[in-house]
Amino acid sequence: MGDIGLPTATAQSVVSSSTAIQPPAKNKLFLGTFIHSKTLAKLEFLHNAAVAVNKLGTIVAVSPDTDFAKAQNSLLPQLKWASDDTEITAAKPGQFFFPGFIDTHLHASQYPNVGLFGNSTLLDWLNTYTFPLEASLSDIPKAQKVYSRVIRKTLSHGTTTAAYYATIDVPATNLLADLCLSLGQRALIGRVCMDQLGPTYYLDESPAESITKTKECIQHVLAKDPKMELITPIITPRFAPACSAPLMKELGQLARETDLPVQTHISENKNEIALVASLFPDAGKSYAEVYDTFGLLTDKTILAHAVHLTEKEADLVKKRKSKVSHCPCSNSAITSGAARVRWLLDKGIEVGLGTDMSGGYSPSVLEAARHAVLVSRHICMDEGSSEERDKLSVEEVLHLATRGGAKVVGMEDKIGGWEVGKEWDAQLVGLHEVDSEDDGDEEGNVDVFGWESWEEKVAKWVYNGDDRNTKKVWVRGRLVHERR
Amino acid sequence: MGDIGLPTATAQSVVSSSTAIQPPAKNKLFLGTFIHSKTLAKLEFLHNAAVAVNKLGTIVAVSPDTDFAKAQNSLLPQLKWASDDTEITAAKPGQFFFPGFIDTHLHASQYPNVGLFGNSTLLDWLNTYTFPLEASLSDIPKAQKVYSRVIRKTLSHGTTTAAYYATIDVPATNLLADLCLSLGQRALIGRVCMDQLGPTYYLDESPAESITKTKECIQHVLAKDPKMELITPIITPRFAPACSAPLMKELGQLARETDLPVQTHISENKNEIALVASLFPDAGKSYAEVYDTFGLLTDKTILAHAVHLTEKEADLVKKRKSKVSHCPCSNSAITSGAARVRWLLDKGIEVGLGTDMSGGYSPSVLEAARHAVLVSRHICMDEGSSEERDKLSVEEVLHLATRGGAKVVGMEDKIGGWEVGKEWDAQLVGLHEVDSEDDGDEEGNVDVFGWESWEEKVAKWVYNGDDRNTKKVWVRGRLVHERR
C-alpha cells in the first residue's frame, strides 16, 4: 500500500486490543469429523480425521484416518509437537467441524433495529428506521453496547468473518474495529461515506470531509493491525444515491491508490434504480455503469443485493471481477425482490451470503443460507414452470456461506475450508440426538433420530439449526465463542 | 353424535391418560401484560392486568389495572377464591402472556423427516421420503418415540392446539391421541385414509377397511375423552389422488353422520392438480368440486395449502364455509407456490397457519407466521409492482396464528384470546434485554435494547423469536411446558 498521506490515528480506543492479534499460546489438534465444501455442489466428509493448527492459527496438517492414539504416536512426533505444548479438542460422536461462516454484508450499526421495518420498502425504511439509529451511534457508550452485542451475537452463530458497515462517525467506526480485534472476529470495517440523500444531521459535509474521515479510519486499523491479519479497512460508499459524483470519483481514486476493498449496494429495489438513473444522467446508462464510471467496480468490490441487474450489468460486473453479496432474508423482508443467484453463478460471478442486518432480520448466516434455498424456489415458482436449475441445494448454499464468501471478501487463500496453509476459522457443530438423556431444550431444533445419513444430518442443520448447534467458534486458532 | 355403530376400542394405550383431562388442582391467577389479537389488523395490549382461571381451566375474569395487591384485596374476594387455593403467576417486567398457537396442519408421523426433501416436489417427495417413514410407524415403540417428541417439541414452541395427521395404522394413531392426552396438548387426531396412489405396503385395502379403521380411531378417542374436551377425532382423507371415489363418498357420509371435522389437502402443487383432473374426470371440473361432490367440503373442513385455487373454487370453499390452513414454510420448501392469503381473506374465507411438517421443516407456528409475512411479500414482488395490499403485517399473521387458527379448527368460542368463558391456552413470552446480567445465550435471538415500543417488541419476537422465548405453556389451565 503506497504512502497516501494518511493522518495519524487520533481516536481513542475504549478497549484494549493488544492481545487480540497475538497467536494462541499452544499448538492445537482437532479430532473428529470435518465437513467442508469441496465444489459448489459437493460437500466433503472427513471422518475420524485430525487437523493440526500451529501457534499462528494456521493449518499445518490435515490427516485422514487419525484417531487419538495415532495422533499421539504418529502425527505429533511428525510435527515435532510436544504433547504438553498441544491442546487437543475432540468432537463428540455426531458433532462435526465446519468452516466458520462469512457474512459478506451487514450493518453493525443497525443491529438494534432487526425485525423493525413494518411494511416499508428501501427508501422509506432508510428515513424512518435507519438514519436516526445510525446517527445516534456517535454516542460512544451506545456504540459500544450495540457493537459489542452484534459481534458477540454473530460469533455465537458461527460468523468468523464479517464485512461491516459502521456509520459516518470516525470514533465509533474505530471502536467497531477495536472491538473486533478484542473479541477476535475477523472483519472488514467500513466507515460509511454519504454526502447526499441522508437527513441534514447525518451527512458528510463534503467529499473532502468524507475522504479525510475515511482515511482516518483506515489509518486507525493499520495502526492496530498493520498486516491486516484480522481487520481490513474497506472503502464504503453507502450506495450511489447517497454519494455525489465528486465523492464517488475520489473514493474510486482512493481504492486504486490503496488497493483496499470496496463495498456498496447495487440494484436492490426498483425505486432505487430509478433514483440512480435520475441522479446520474451523465455517468452511465445503468446502476453498474455509474459505479464503473467512478472506478468503484474493482476486483475487490463487494456489491450487496444485485437483485435487478440487467444482463449487460451482470456482464460488466463479471468483467470487472466484482463480487456479489446475496442477502435473501433482507430482500424478502423489505420486499426488494428475488436475486437470481444461479444466473449470477452461471456467468462466473462470485457470490457469498449476507445477513444484511437490519434490512435482514436475522444475525445468522445459516438462516441466510436457508433463505437462499427458499428464495431460489420462489424464483422457480415465479417463472410458472419447474425451472429446476434455478434451485439451490443445501450443499450449494453452504458453499456460498464459506468458500463463496471467502472469495467475495478476497480471502479465499486464507479461509473457507480445510487445507494446509489456511487459517483455523472454524465452528464445532452439534446436533441433538433424540435418544440422549436430556430433553434437548438447550440443544435447539435439530432432532437426529439415528437413522440419518451424514448428508441428511447436514440438511437438518441447514433447515432447523441455530446458534444452539454452534458449540465452539475459533478465528485464527483462537477460541472466540463457547456455549455454556 | 348419533349412533353409527362404532366398534369398541381395542387398541391398547401405552401411556396412562387418566389424569390428562382432569382440571388443574387450584384456581390460577395470572398477572402482568397480556397481548392478544383484537381484529385481523390489530393487537390489544393489556398492561398491569389480571386474568383469573378456574379449576376447569376456564377464564372467569379479565381485570385491567390490577396489580398484586389489588388482586389479593379485591379480585380474589370477588371471585370467592381463597388465597391458599389460588396459584399466582406473575409475568416479569418485559414478559407477556400470549394466546397459545394453533397449528392447523401437520403430520406427526413425518416429524423425523423435517428438513429432508432435497430438491423434490410434492409427488416424488411423497414416494421418496414420506410413505416409507409413515409405514414404519406401525412399529409402536418407534411411533411412541416420534410422537412423544413431536408433541413435546411443538408444545415447547407454544403450540397448544395441533391438527395432526397420524398414519393409516390404528394402534399408532390411537397412541398419538393418548400421548396428547397425557402430555396435555389439545389436538385433532386424524387416522390417514388412503386406498390408492401409495405403495402396496402402505394402503388401506378397501374403502370398507378404511372406514372401519377410521371408526376404530374415533371410538378410541371418544372412550378416552367423551366430551372431546382435549382431543377431537378428525376424518382425514389424505388428499383426492390417494382416495378412490367410493372411499371419499363414504368419508363424506361419515362426516355428515358424525358431524366431526374433516381435514385434507387441496391444490398444493400443479402436477397434483393435473393428477386430480385425470383421476376424477366425472366428479367435477376442479379439485374443490371433487371434494364437494363427495360431501367433503363442510363447514368443519380444514383444507391445507389452497395455493392454486381458481376464483370459482375459492368461491365454492367460501360458500361451503370450509377453512384454509396456510403453510408457507412448506409451500416454499417443496416449491409448491405462494398462497394468496389476502385474496382468501378478502373473500371471507377463514385462514389459519400450519407448519405442515415435514413438507414444512419447522415445528414452530411463530416461524410459519414469519414466513407468512415473507411469502406475502414475494406475492407483491411477483406481480411486478408494489401491490402493498397483499402484504401481511406482523399483527395479521399473529391473528392467523391464534384467532384465525381457532376458527379453522372450529374452536373460536374456546380458544384464541383473553375473553371470559374461553379456556386458558396460553404461553408466557420473554425477550432478552441486552442490559441484563447474563450474556443471553439461552434466551434466544431477540435482543431488546430498551427503547422499543411494545409493538416493536412484538415485531422483534415475530422475526427472531424461537422456543427460547416461550417460557411456559398452558393448555386448559394446565402447565404443559416450562423451560428449565
Side-chain angles (χ1 to χ4, degrees):
Chain A
M1 186 163 143
D3 178 4
I4 52 162
L6 291 170
T8 306
T10 52
Q12 290 303 308
S13 167
V14 180
V15 293
S16 160
S17 61
S18 57
T19 61
I21 55 172
Q22 299 300 316
K26 287 192 174 188
N27 297 308
K28 289 193 165 74
L29 190 66
F30 298 93
L31 298 170
T33 292
F34 297 76
I35 306 177
H36 65 166
S37 180
K38 196 71 185 169
T39 64
L40 177 63
K42 208 164 177 179
L43 294 172
E44 182 176 51
F45 298 79
L46 302 164
H47 299 295
N48 198 30
V51 171
V53 176
N54 70 14
K55 294 179 181 180
L56 295 167
T58 304
I59 297 173
V60 294
V62 177
S63 176
D65 297 316
T66 304
D67 60 11
F68 188 84
K70 196 168 164 191
Q72 289 275 6
N73 301 333
S74 165
L75 186 57
L76 290 193
Q78 202 178 311
L79 292 164
K80 295 178 185 158
W81 286 1
S83 276
D84 61 3
D85 196 29
T86 304
E87 191 183 301
I88 297 182
T89 303
K92 293 179 192 163
Q95 295 187 333
F96 59 92
F97 296 98
F98 200 81
F101 290 134
I102 296 156
D103 190 341
T104 60
H105 181 68
L106 76 163
H107 297 260
S109 51
Q110 296 172 15
Y111 178 64
N113 272 354
V114 289
L116 306 183
F117 30 73
N119 280 344
S120 65
T121 52
L122 181 63
L123 301 176
D124 55 322
W125 168 78
L126 282 171
N127 284 307
T128 310
Y129 296 94
T130 307
F131 292 146
L133 175 62
E134 287 193 20
S136 77
L137 293 201
S138 59
D139 177 303
I140 291 295
K142 184 173 179 181
Q144 165 102 19
K145 180 175 172 178
V146 169
Y147 289 159
S148 301
R149 188 69 188 153
V150 71
I151 295 165
R152 285 185 207 277
K153 178 60 79 176
T154 53
L155 281 175
S156 77
H157 283 267
T159 300
T160 50
T161 299
Y164 284 120
Y165 288 57
T167 67
I168 68 173
D169 190 69
V170 172
T173 300
N174 292 345
L175 172 64
L176 176 61
D178 295 346
L179 287 167
C180 286
L181 278 167
S182 166
L183 297 170
Q185 188 173 51
R186 195 184 294 277
L188 299 91
I189 303 287
R191 177 198 167 273
V192 174
C193 297
M194 51 187 285
D195 65 347
Q196 60 187 36
L197 188 81
T200 49
Y201 62 82
Y202 191 59
L203 275 180
D204 292 331
E205 285 183 13
S206 66
E209 186 193 83
S210 196
I211 297 297
T212 302
K213 288 184 167 179
T214 297
K215 287 182 179 175
E216 281 176 36
C217 290
I218 294 170
Q219 187 56 48
H220 178 85
V221 168
L222 295 180
K224 294 287 179 84
D225 185 2
K227 293 183 188 166
M228 300 189 287
E229 289 176 317
L230 198 71
I231 311 294
T232 307
I234 183 164
I235 296 167
T236 305
R238 182 174 203 114
F239 70 148
C243 299
S244 67
L247 174 56
M248 284 203 281
K249 192 177 166 191
E250 291 204 46
L251 289 172
Q253 175 77 10
L254 186 64
R256 193 162 50 252
E257 287 170 357
T258 60
D259 200 30
L260 285 173
V262 173
Q263 62 184 352
T264 190
H265 302 77
I266 196 167
S267 206
E268 180 174 359
N269 163 297
K270 289 182 179 172
N271 290 337
E272 169 211 18
I273 296 167
L275 182 61
V276 170
S278 73
L279 287 170
F280 301 94
D282 304 327
K285 292 189 183 90
S286 69
Y287 204 154
E289 284 172 297
V290 170
Y291 286 136
D292 195 46
T293 298
F294 299 116
L296 287 166
L297 283 193
T298 77
D299 62 355
K300 292 183 172 180
T301 296
I302 306 172
L303 298 165
H305 305 302
V307 173
H308 304 284
L309 286 187
T310 63
E311 199 77 38
K312 213 175 138 191
E313 282 180 292
D315 291 339
L316 177 59
V317 168
K318 165 63 186 166
K319 195 171 164 193
R320 297 291 182 251
K321 297 180 186 163
S322 298
K323 327 295 183 191
V324 167
S325 172
H326 174 47
C327 306
C329 288
S330 167
N331 296 155
S332 298
I334 59 172
T335 327
S336 299
R340 293 156 295 162
V341 171
R342 177 73 64 206
W343 172 72
L344 294 169
L345 291 172
D346 282 348
K347 283 192 180 288
I349 295 170
E350 303 298 347
V351 180
L353 297 177
T355 61
D356 188 29
M357 294 194 287
S358 67
Y361 49 86
S362 168
S364 161
V365 172
L366 191 66
E367 181 142 347
R370 185 182 309 150
H371 279 264
V373 169
L374 297 175
V375 165
S376 76
R377 279 149 171 68
H378 276 276
I379 289 174
C380 294
M381 298 187 294
D382 297 352
E383 289 170 359
S385 66
S386 255
E387 290 286 350
E388 291 297 317
R389 203 176 142 54
D390 283 336
K391 284 190 193 178
L392 297 176
S393 67
V394 160
E395 291 77 8
E396 287 174 324
V397 297
L398 288 175
H399 181 92
L400 299 184
T402 55
R403 303 266 188 199
K407 285 182 187 161
V408 168
V409 299
M411 300 183 191
E412 64 269 34
D413 295 335
K414 256 188 181 177
I415 53 175
W418 314 130
E419 286 88 35
V420 170
K422 284 208 165 64
E423 301 189 2
W424 180 251
D425 283 23
Q427 55 186 314
L428 176 64
V429 178
L431 309 176
H432 177 66
E433 298 188 14
V434 175
D435 276 331
S436 69
E437 289 297 311
D438 66 350
D439 75 1
D441 259 13
E442 306 310 329
E443 289 206 62
N445 287 315
V446 180
D447 271 351
V448 172
F449 281 79
W451 53 73
E452 298 86 348
S453 68
W454 271 98
E455 287 79 0
E456 289 177 331
K457 286 187 208 175
V458 169
K460 286 192 162 191
W461 176 50
V462 167
Y463 279 104
N464 276 317
D466 63 31
D467 50 309
R468 285 173 283 190
N469 300 111
T470 295
K471 307 297 182 189
K472 296 184 181 192
V473 181
W474 297 262
V475 175
R476 301 188 78 225
R478 176 184 170 194
L479 184 67
V480 290
H481 172 75
E482 183 169 16
R483 287 195 72 76
R484 289 171 304 183
Chain B
M1 188 163 142
D3 177 4
I4 52 162
L6 292 171
T8 307
T10 52
Q12 292 303 308
S13 167
V14 180
V15 293
S16 159
S17 60
S18 57
T19 61
I21 55 171
Q22 299 300 317
K26 286 190 176 191
N27 298 308
K28 289 193 165 76
L29 189 68
F30 299 93
L31 299 171
T33 292
F34 297 77
I35 307 178
H36 66 166
S37 180
K38 195 70 184 168
T39 63
L40 177 63
K42 208 164 177 179
L43 294 173
E44 182 176 52
F45 298 78
L46 302 164
H47 299 294
N48 197 31
V51 171
V53 176
N54 70 15
K55 293 178 182 180
L56 295 167
T58 304
I59 297 174
V60 294
V62 177
S63 177
D65 298 317
T66 303
D67 59 11
F68 188 84
K70 197 171 164 188
Q72 289 275 6
N73 301 333
S74 164
L75 186 57
L76 291 193
Q78 203 178 310
L79 292 164
K80 296 177 183 161
W81 285 2
S83 277
D84 61 3
D85 197 29
T86 304
E87 191 183 303
I88 297 181
T89 303
K92 293 180 192 163
Q95 293 187 335
F96 59 93
F97 295 99
F98 199 81
F101 290 135
I102 297 156
D103 190 342
T104 59
H105 181 70
L106 75 164
H107 298 259
S109 51
Q110 296 172 15
Y111 177 64
N113 271 353
V114 289
L116 306 183
F117 30 73
N119 280 345
S120 65
T121 53
L122 181 63
L123 301 176
D124 56 321
W125 167 78
L126 282 171
N127 284 308
T128 311
Y129 296 95
T130 306
F131 293 145
L133 175 62
E134 287 193 20
S136 76
L137 292 202
S138 59
D139 177 304
I140 292 294
K142 185 171 179 183
Q144 165 101 19
K145 181 174 171 179
V146 169
Y147 289 158
S148 303
R149 188 70 187 152
V150 70
I151 295 166
R152 285 186 208 277
K153 179 58 82 176
T154 53
L155 281 175
S156 78
H157 284 267
T159 299
T160 50
T161 299
Y164 284 120
Y165 288 57
T167 67
I168 68 173
D169 190 68
V170 173
T173 300
N174 291 345
L175 173 63
L176 177 60
D178 296 346
L179 288 166
C180 286
L181 277 168
S182 166
L183 297 169
Q185 190 173 50
R186 195 185 294 277
L188 299 91
I189 303 287
R191 178 197 166 273
V192 174
C193 297
M194 51 187 287
D195 66 347
Q196 60 186 36
L197 187 81
T200 49
Y201 62 84
Y202 191 60
L203 275 181
D204 292 330
E205 284 184 13
S206 66
E209 185 193 82
S210 196
I211 296 297
T212 302
K213 288 185 168 179
T214 298
K215 287 181 179 176
E216 282 176 34
C217 290
I218 294 170
Q219 187 55 47
H220 178 85
V221 169
L222 295 180
K224 295 286 179 84
D225 185 2
K227 294 183 188 167
M228 299 190 286
E229 289 177 317
L230 199 71
I231 310 294
T232 307
I234 183 164
I235 296 166
T236 307
R238 183 176 201 113
F239 69 148
C243 299
S244 67
L247 174 55
M248 284 203 280
K249 193 176 165 193
E250 292 203 45
L251 289 171
Q253 175 77 9
L254 186 64
R256 192 162 52 251
E257 288 169 356
T258 59
D259 200 29
L260 285 174
V262 174
Q263 62 183 354
T264 190
H265 302 75
I266 196 168
S267 206
E268 180 173 358
N269 163 295
K270 288 181 179 172
N271 291 337
E272 170 211 17
I273 296 167
L275 182 60
V276 171
S278 74
L279 287 170
F280 301 94
D282 303 326
K285 292 190 182 87
S286 69
Y287 204 154
E289 284 172 297
V290 170
Y291 286 136
D292 194 46
T293 298
F294 300 115
L296 287 165
L297 283 193
T298 76
D299 62 356
K300 292 183 172 178
T301 297
I302 306 172
L303 297 166
H305 305 302
V307 173
H308 304 285
L309 287 188
T310 63
E311 199 78 37
K312 212 174 139 193
E313 283 180 293
D315 291 339
L316 177 60
V317 168
K318 165 63 186 165
K319 195 170 164 194
R320 298 288 183 253
K321 297 181 185 161
S322 299
K323 328 294 184 192
V324 167
S325 172
H326 174 46
C327 307
C329 288
S330 167
N331 296 335
S332 298
I334 61 173
T335 327
S336 299
R340 292 156 296 160
V341 173
R342 177 72 65 206
W343 173 72
L344 295 169
L345 292 172
D346 283 349
K347 284 194 179 287
I349 295 170
E350 303 297 349
V351 180
L353 297 178
T355 61
D356 189 28
M357 294 194 285
S358 69
Y361 49 87
S362 168
S364 160
V365 173
L366 191 67
E367 181 141 346
R370 185 182 308 151
H371 279 264
V373 169
L374 297 175
V375 165
S376 77
R377 281 149 170 68
H378 274 276
I379 289 173
C380 294
M381 298 186 295
D382 297 352
E383 289 169 1
S385 66
S386 253
E387 291 285 349
E388 290 297 316
R389 206 177 137 52
D390 283 336
K391 285 190 192 177
L392 297 176
S393 67
V394 159
E395 290 78 8
E396 287 173 324
V397 296
L398 288 175
H399 181 91
L400 299 185
T402 55
R403 303 265 189 198
K407 286 182 187 161
V408 168
V409 298
M411 300 184 191
E412 65 268 35
D413 295 334
K414 256 189 182 177
I415 53 175
W418 314 130
E419 286 88 36
V420 170
K422 284 208 164 68
E423 301 189 1
W424 180 252
D425 284 23
Q427 54 186 315
L428 176 65
V429 178
L431 309 175
H432 176 67
E433 298 188 14
V434 175
D435 276 331
S436 70
E437 289 297 310
D438 67 350
D439 76 0
D441 258 12
E442 305 310 330
E443 290 207 61
N445 287 315
V446 181
D447 272 350
V448 172
F449 280 79
W451 53 72
E452 298 87 348
S453 67
W454 271 98
E455 287 79 359
E456 289 176 333
K457 285 185 209 177
V458 169
K460 285 192 163 190
W461 177 50
V462 167
Y463 279 104
N464 275 317
D466 62 32
D467 51 308
R468 285 173 284 189
N469 300 111
T470 295
K471 307 298 182 188
K472 296 185 181 191
V473 180
W474 297 263
V475 175
R476 301 189 78 226
R478 176 184 170 194
L479 184 67
V480 291
H481 173 75
E482 183 170 18
R483 286 194 74 75
R484 288 171 305 183

